[in-house]
Amino acid sequence: MTTNTPPDTPLIEHNRQAWNQQAARDCEWSRPVSPEAIAAARRGELLPRLTPSPMPPHWLGNVQGAHILCLAAGGGQQAPLLAAAGAVVTVFDLSDTQLELDRQVAAREQLTLRCQQGDMSDLSVFGDDIFDLVFHPISNLYVPDVEPVWRECARVLKPGGRLLASFYNPALFVDDRDKTLAQQGLLRPAYRLPYADTRQLDPARLQEKKSRGEALVFGHSLTALIGGQLAAGLRLLDMLEDWQPSPSLLLEAYLPGFIATCAEKPND
């Protein structure tokens, strides 16, 4: 069953359209997994990743029969792999085009997926304590406030359920990304964290970004990204840093660009 939640703010609508355009252009995160990948997932040999490197196996554990929410994770990748591995999967994403890619893979591979459109900060379509696991790969840079995301994740998780999340290292948002300086191996800090396109880009650059159809992004602090999970009542079990295998930013050559966390909703 598929139901749609229409976007309700200009920012949400802009980012929905931006991701629809990226999906139509076959970007990296909108490229459906192959039949071979699905076959490997059915054999238990391939599972989705939060960052470029495989996560510790115990983070995900045995997903057979587990009720999993793939949060802001459309695009025909993570959700189909988890479903092929035996999980009961709901994929929730802002972009209707991203969700359509999940439907296409599900139809091609005869998988059962529930696809739901909406904003990751509002999971009110779901009841309390219904998911064993929330799988939330890098995507919360598209919302201005990440803490409501963590509160909603904590609410929909069953006691003992886990949140697996990843996000960009906040340091990546500090540099002004001047290509001329980068070619000289130089960085120029220009933005103070927390970062927001809508607040820190000058009006001309912001309008140029909008005109190109690019999604507007937000660089959250570690206090919001990790402390926010704790404030939502989750317990941090583990975390890792990971490197960008093909750096596009100069800073990514000097520090891990990705952070992933494994958190649990306490039973008590």
Side-chain angles (χ1 to χ4, degrees):
M1 177 180 178
T2 302
T3 56
N4 292 332
T5 303
D8 57 3
T9 72
L11 171 64
I12 291 174
E13 174 59 15
H14 174 84
N15 279 355
R16 183 185 73 84
Q17 293 285 0
W19 267 101
N20 282 351
Q21 291 179 37
Q22 288 195 50
R25 291 196 295 265
D26 188 38
C27 77
E28 180 182 1
W29 300 110
S30 303
R31 195 166 298 136
V33 292
S34 67
E36 292 76 17
I38 293 293
R42 286 186 164 124
R43 296 191 302 268
E45 297 172 1
L46 179 66
L47 291 172
R49 299 183 180 190
L50 289 168
T51 66
S53 300
M55 72 184 104
H58 66 274
W59 280 26
L60 197 58
N62 182 7
V63 301
Q64 186 72 38
H67 289 258
I68 297 179
L69 174 63
C70 285
L71 180 58
Q77 298 181 351
Q78 291 97 348
L81 289 175
L82 288 166
V88 180
V89 180
T90 298
V91 54
F92 189 91
D93 199 278
L94 183 63
S95 166
D96 32 318
T97 307
Q98 286 281 88
L99 289 171
E100 180 57 30
L101 294 172
D102 285 290
R103 296 187 193 99
Q104 290 175 11
V105 177
R108 187 192 75 201
E109 303 293 340
Q110 298 183 321
L111 298 169
T112 299
L113 286 179
R114 179 187 178 189
C115 295
Q116 177 79 47
Q117 185 182 14
D119 172 17
M120 71 181 86
S121 302
D122 179 8
L123 304 182
S124 57
V125 294
F126 305 119
D128 298 348
D129 306 333
I130 61 172
F131 292 107
D132 298 295
L133 187 140
V134 175
F135 192 87
H136 181 47
I138 294 170
S139 55
N140 58 41
L141 72 161
Y142 300 111
V143 293
D145 185 359
V146 72
E147 295 189 34
V149 178
W150 303 142
R151 290 195 293 269
E152 283 289 82
C153 287
R155 181 184 64 80
V156 302
L157 277 171
K158 297 176 183 178
R162 289 188 174 185
L163 166 64
L164 306 185
S166 59
F167 33 86
Y168 285 115
N169 190 320
L172 297 179
F173 293 91
V174 172
D175 183 44
D176 71 352
R177 304 189 182 188
D178 185 303
K179 293 182 179 179
T180 302
L181 289 176
Q183 290 169 357
Q184 303 173 55
L186 300 175
L187 299 166
R188 181 168 58 196
Y191 305 115
R192 185 182 178 91
L193 292 173
Y195 172 82
D197 274 349
T198 53
R199 186 178 67 250
Q200 287 162 283
L201 289 183
D202 64 61
R205 289 186 67 184
L206 179 60
Q207 184 55 47
E208 181 183 348
K209 186 169 187 178
K210 289 181 177 179
S211 298
R212 292 196 300 265
E214 296 180 18
L216 301 181
V217 301
F218 304 85
H220 307 294
S221 68
L222 287 175
T223 298
L225 290 167
I226 297 178
Q229 296 185 46
L230 305 179
L234 299 170
R235 179 173 59 193
L236 188 65
L237 300 179
D238 202 359
M239 64 173 290
L240 60 84
E241 296 175 295
D242 198 12
W243 293 85
Q244 170 60 260
S246 303
S248 60
L249 304 176
L250 179 60
L251 197 54
E252 291 175 316
Y254 296 92
L255 56 78
F258 304 101
I259 299 172
T261 57
C262 174
E264 183 179 69
K265 182 174 181 176
N267 281 299
D268 49 86

